[in-house]
Amino acid sequence: MSLAAPPEPSSASADAPPRPPFAQDWRRIARMGAIGAFGQIFISLSNMPVKLDGRAIIEGVLSLGYLSLVVLPLAAGSRVGHQIRRKGVPFHRPGAHEVVGGAACGALVGGGLSLLAVLIANFDLREPLVNWSPILADLLAFNRGTAFAVVIWLAVGAAVGAVGGLLRMVTPLARRVLWTMALTLFGAAVLESLTTDLAEGMGIEALIDWFYAPRGGLTITGAIALAAGSGVLALVGRGRIRGAKVRIDALEGPARNRAQGGLILATAAVLVILPMFAGKLTNELLANVGLFVLLALGLNIVVGLAGILDLGYVAFFAVGSYSAAVLTAAASPRINPELPWFVALIGVVILTGLVGLFIGAPVIRMRGDYLAIVTLGFGEIIRLLFLSDWLSGWFGGSQGITNIPGAEIFGLAEVAGTDPRSVFYLVLAFCAIAIYVSWRLERSRIGRAWMAVREDETVAEAMGINTVNVKLLAFVVGAVLGSFSGAIFSAKVGSVFPASFLILVSIVILVVVIFGGMGNIVGVIAGSAVLIGVLGGPKQPGLLAEFSEFKLLIYGALLVWMMLARPEGLIPSVRRTRELHQEELAQDAWLRGQTEDEHVESSEGRS
């Protein structure tokens, strides 16, 4: 992926006719089709289509289960006709060639399901493959028999693959409109519970009942209305959002600060007003997302800015939770000072900072994989200490600490899990503090030192940066931000147990940071909202409760895809993007220079 705009094709390439329809790279089609067919079989045997079939996208037309089976043929049909645009490289105009290639590749991908339907009908492999079941066979055959399944999935694969190839023939504007319509329908179906909850708070249930069916999913009329409306908005708003962003980026000095301040105030106003109209379930979801935003902001300091791969970050979350529980709960085993929550928070910050120093000091001189493995070990050691009988007199061992009081706000109100709206407002306040601290640190001398260490620690040390102290400070700051989330978590839940702080929490937070955009505050927040809000956390439900069994599978797939296709993240940091793609930028510059030199030589030869 190159940051530079793709060069315009030469006049010869622009005038080149489309390739003949059947002049295909059949080896490429066979290879991509085989990979897609294997992917279809894997998705089916993971039981995802069966589990997701109960969640409708459009009532009576499409469910989430069948949608999971048509994504791969569409992607393969679109990708098989991909051409790389480079100066001096022939570029053919898209035509029937792309449609035929997409249909052939899609048919091969769909053939994987046809093969699976035949195998299920003739062999019983439920002993090693637990999802090898008649239920899956009926779903693949639409309850009409194996022969129908073979024919229908070859036909569906070819049709969907042809649509993928056809997307390469339409104009960029038409493609943008079509994708906007598809994403709007999918988003409306995914956000059904959130939309319904907000509609009840705003008193517009009748309108929502027109869009959504009683058993879930969009009605056909509602889907048509949403698709048409989003398509019109995509046409009307073409380039306006990007143009507004460009104009804001072009501002300097006080004008830029005023524009950014206006955006921040507008976002804050929405976040303050939204919970007032939301129900208990939505506020609970917002509170969970906020807790992970706090954790991700802390890990972003360590991983995103300083470049320290910390796989044991859950240790600071655990220390914050247990410290707050011990200092506030009357039922803590050996010590029960029963301090007010805000007073206890001071002790939580001090204790977590000391733990950050204790963990960071012996390992901070390590680099790369060694540092990651050691931090992973320390994270597990902390959890086992809380679980051990040796410290059960302090932390309760496997029984944990229960009857933790809520967070008392200066004697005016008490924030507890029974009122998720108040929990969200408390989380929102601490997120604002964490965002401000992260923003100031990123633009400070310390922040520039962190980024220098991230880019090249040896060069940073040669330039006079004390890399040990700088990395240790990143550990401590990240630990303190993580402890905020832990302290709120213990007050929200009312109890803490070692099982709440598995190493999986660290992995999920790391995926959130990578997916959102390492080193970018807005990206980290967006990653938390998308992953935790939609899929849910390790033990927290999201909007799509049907995905609870497939969270780790989707997290892993997203992580692999991001590392291969977009390593800078969903909303990348400009500096981080340049670091990751500097070799590609240099290569593009070299290619442009080579093309210009050839053009000059040819001009001199003609003269």
Side-chain angles (χ1 to χ4, degrees):
M1 179 178 178
S2 175
L3 291 177
E8 293 297 326
S10 62
S11 57
S13 298
D15 295 336
R19 288 172 289 185
F22 294 97
Q24 302 286 341
D25 185 351
W26 296 107
R27 288 187 178 180
R28 175 181 171 85
I29 290 175
R31 182 172 64 252
M32 292 191 66
I35 294 172
F38 177 80
Q40 291 284 67
I41 295 174
F42 177 80
I43 290 173
S44 300
L45 293 180
S46 70
N47 211 35
M48 188 180 294
V50 173
K51 288 290 184 179
L52 301 184
D53 190 46
R55 183 66 177 260
I57 301 294
I58 301 175
E59 182 191 26
V61 176
L62 180 65
S63 70
L64 201 55
Y66 282 109
L67 180 63
S68 67
L69 295 177
V70 299
V71 169
L72 284 180
L74 181 67
S78 177
R79 186 66 184 174
V80 75
H82 176 68
Q83 299 181 69
I84 299 177
R85 284 196 183 190
R86 297 291 186 193
K87 284 188 175 181
V89 178
F91 183 84
H92 298 276
R93 292 200 314 271
H97 176 276
E98 278 68 26
V99 178
V100 172
C105 189
L108 289 175
V109 176
L113 297 179
S114 301
L115 175 63
L116 181 60
V118 173
L119 293 175
I120 292 176
N122 293 279
F123 299 96
D124 184 7
L125 299 179
R126 275 181 287 184
E127 186 65 31
L129 302 172
V130 294
N131 296 319
W132 189 282
S133 66
I135 300 176
L136 176 59
D138 291 340
L139 183 138
L140 294 178
F142 297 87
N143 297 315
R144 296 187 181 182
T146 305
F148 183 81
V150 172
V151 175
I152 194 64
W153 283 113
L154 287 173
V156 168
V160 174
V163 170
L166 189 64
L167 288 175
R168 293 195 166 275
M169 295 179 58
V170 301
T171 63
L173 176 59
R175 192 181 304 121
R176 186 185 304 115
V177 171
L178 291 173
W179 278 117
T180 301
M181 294 166 66
L183 291 175
T184 300
L185 294 178
F186 179 76
V190 168
L191 300 176
E192 180 179 354
S193 58
L194 177 62
T195 306
T196 304
D197 197 16
L198 291 174
E200 291 177 357
M202 300 172 67
I204 54 173
E205 297 96 327
L207 179 62
I208 295 301
D209 291 341
W210 186 80
F211 277 102
Y212 291 106
R215 295 185 178 180
L218 293 164
T219 61
I220 295 178
T221 53
I224 293 173
L226 279 176
S230 61
V232 171
L233 288 177
L235 285 172
V236 173
R238 177 169 57 98
R240 294 190 179 184
I241 297 177
R242 182 178 297 178
K245 183 179 183 300
V246 170
R247 287 194 297 271
I248 292 175
D249 292 339
L251 296 176
E252 295 181 357
R256 183 182 180 87
N257 292 335
R258 284 195 298 271
Q260 291 180 340
L263 291 174
I264 292 172
L265 288 176
T267 304
V270 171
L271 291 175
V272 170
I273 295 172
L274 182 65
M276 298 179 183
F277 297 96
K280 191 171 183 178
L281 292 177
T282 301
N283 281 314
E284 179 72 21
L285 177 66
L286 292 173
N288 288 334
V289 171
L291 288 174
F292 275 89
V293 168
L294 260 180
L295 289 170
L297 287 170
L299 188 61
N300 186 53
I301 296 287
V302 181
V303 177
L305 295 183
I308 304 170
L309 183 56
D310 184 2
L311 296 182
Y313 188 72
V314 69
F316 306 129
F317 182 45
V319 170
S321 297
Y322 269 96
S323 301
V326 168
L327 294 176
T328 59
S332 55
R334 183 170 295 180
I335 178 173
N336 48 4
E338 299 183 59
L339 297 175
W341 189 81
F342 270 103
V343 177
L345 188 63
I346 298 173
V348 169
V349 170
I350 294 173
L351 289 172
T352 311
L354 291 175
V355 172
L357 285 172
F358 174 76
I359 293 178
V363 305
I364 208 66
R365 295 183 183 276
M366 298 181 179
R367 299 184 186 182
D369 299 338
Y370 299 102
L371 178 60
I373 293 171
V374 172
T375 54
L376 177 68
F378 269 110
E380 194 66 6
I381 287 170
I382 295 294
R383 186 186 70 83
L384 293 176
L385 285 175
F386 287 133
L387 181 63
S388 67
D389 294 334
W390 177 49
L391 295 177
S392 60
W394 294 88
F395 305 115
S398 60
Q399 302 300 317
I401 302 176
T402 58
N403 298 323
I404 302 172
E408 191 172 322
I409 309 299
F410 304 116
L412 301 176
E414 185 177 354
V415 176
T418 54
D419 185 8
R421 181 181 301 164
S422 62
V423 175
F424 172 71
Y425 282 134
L426 181 62
V427 172
L428 184 62
F430 276 90
C431 283
I433 295 171
I435 289 170
Y436 180 74
V437 169
S438 299
W439 177 70
R440 294 291 294 175
L441 285 173
E442 183 180 351
R443 285 157 178 77
S444 67
R445 182 184 180 90
I446 293 295
R448 290 193 293 272
W450 283 338
M451 287 181 277
V453 170
R454 177 189 67 194
E455 188 168 357
D456 195 317
E457 186 173 344
T458 303
V459 173
E461 191 171 6
M463 293 298 292
I465 296 174
N466 189 331
T467 56
V468 173
N469 289 350
V470 165
K471 291 165 67 177
L472 198 57
L473 182 60
F475 246 96
V476 173
V477 173
V480 170
L481 293 183
S483 70
F484 289 159
S485 182
I488 298 172
F489 174 78
S490 64
K492 172 181 178 292
V493 178
S495 59
V496 290
F497 301 96
S500 300
F501 309 105
L502 300 175
I503 204 67
L504 178 62
V505 178
S506 292
I507 304 300
V508 170
I509 301 168
L510 182 62
V511 173
V512 165
V513 173
I514 293 173
F515 178 79
M518 288 191 294
N520 188 16
I521 296 173
V522 178
V524 168
I525 297 172
S528 301
V530 172
L531 292 184
I532 306 302
V534 176
L535 297 176
K539 295 185 177 180
Q540 296 79 14
L543 290 173
L544 287 177
E546 295 85 356
F547 276 107
S548 57
E549 295 184 17
F550 312 107
K551 288 178 187 175
L552 298 183
L553 175 63
I554 297 172
Y555 284 148
L558 282 175
L559 190 59
V560 171
W561 180 78
M562 293 299 293
M563 290 294 95
L564 293 175
R566 195 177 174 85
E568 65 270 23
L570 189 66
I571 304 178
S573 166
V574 176
R575 186 189 299 269
R576 180 66 174 162
T577 303
R578 289 172 179 169
E579 291 174 10
L580 290 171
H581 294 283
Q582 58 184 349
E583 293 184 1
E584 295 177 13
L585 290 172
Q587 184 182 29
D588 289 347
W590 178 80
L591 286 173
R592 285 195 297 270
Q594 288 288 100
T595 305
E596 291 172 0
D597 291 343
E598 292 173 0
H599 179 70
V600 170
E601 290 175 1
S602 61
S603 300
E604 290 176 351
R606 286 195 300 269
S607 62

